Amino acid sequence: KDIPVVISAVTDPAESGLLADNNAPGGNVTGTSDLTPVKEQIDLLKQLIPDAQTVGVLYCSAESNSAIQAEMTREACEALGMEAVDYTVSNTNEIQTVVESMVGKVDALYIPTDNMLASNMPTVALVANPAKIPVICGESGMVENGGLITNGINYHDLGVLTGQQAAKILEGADPAEMPIEYCDESSYTYTINEDTAAEIGIEIPEEFLGGENAES
């Protein structure tokens, strides 16, 4: 109650019950959001797999931040004429079975910034990659562990932004009046797993491989 709390890597702090309103926290908690650019990532999926009609959306049903992103994914897919189908897991033991159930039913798979799935991407890749299912991820670490590609926030930049907020509080700013902040679009970074691309037989356009905002 007395020591200000500066949060980071929470998708929607208000929806998660950490504060009253993202624009006006009203208490002793403020910070930054790691809301991933869902729309841009679904646009990327459509660019890479233009014939995709059905997109599997895989997330942990117990993570509220993931459920929020899943709803955003459904809206983004619908806007591009695709159908998004939810596939949820409640524990790590279900992941392989659930991914196996998608084979032959989805044209691509999208995974938001879900903690459980991020920690178990090798299990997802074990099934999805041999089945030639492109996996578009919410953040770069998931790509590095077997996913195909992302265009996501830079967590280093997010950490800097959070640190700047903490410094302002130490200088006298009131957390109650400090809105939740988000990474600027200019810091979004493409991350590509070229080994995965080769395994599933998909060619990544040069525009995603080059430039200062690309990693592989």
Side-chain angles (χ1 to χ4, degrees), residues 184-205:
D184 186 82
E185 184 175 346
S186 64
S187 71
Y188 293 170
T189 304
Y190 286 106
T191 305
I192 302 104
N193 189 319
E194 295 187 47
D195 291 336
T196 297
E199 182 175 359
I200 67 175
I202 190 168
E203 185 174 347
I204 305 296

Side-chain angles (χ1 to χ4, degrees), residues 33-54:
S33 166
D34 70 342
L35 179 62
T36 197
V38 174
K39 179 184 179 301
E40 286 82 357
Q41 291 171 353
I42 298 303
D43 288 344
L44 174 61
L45 184 156
K46 189 65 172 176
Q47 284 180 271
L48 290 176
I49 311 107
D51 296 331
Q53 295 296 317
T54 304

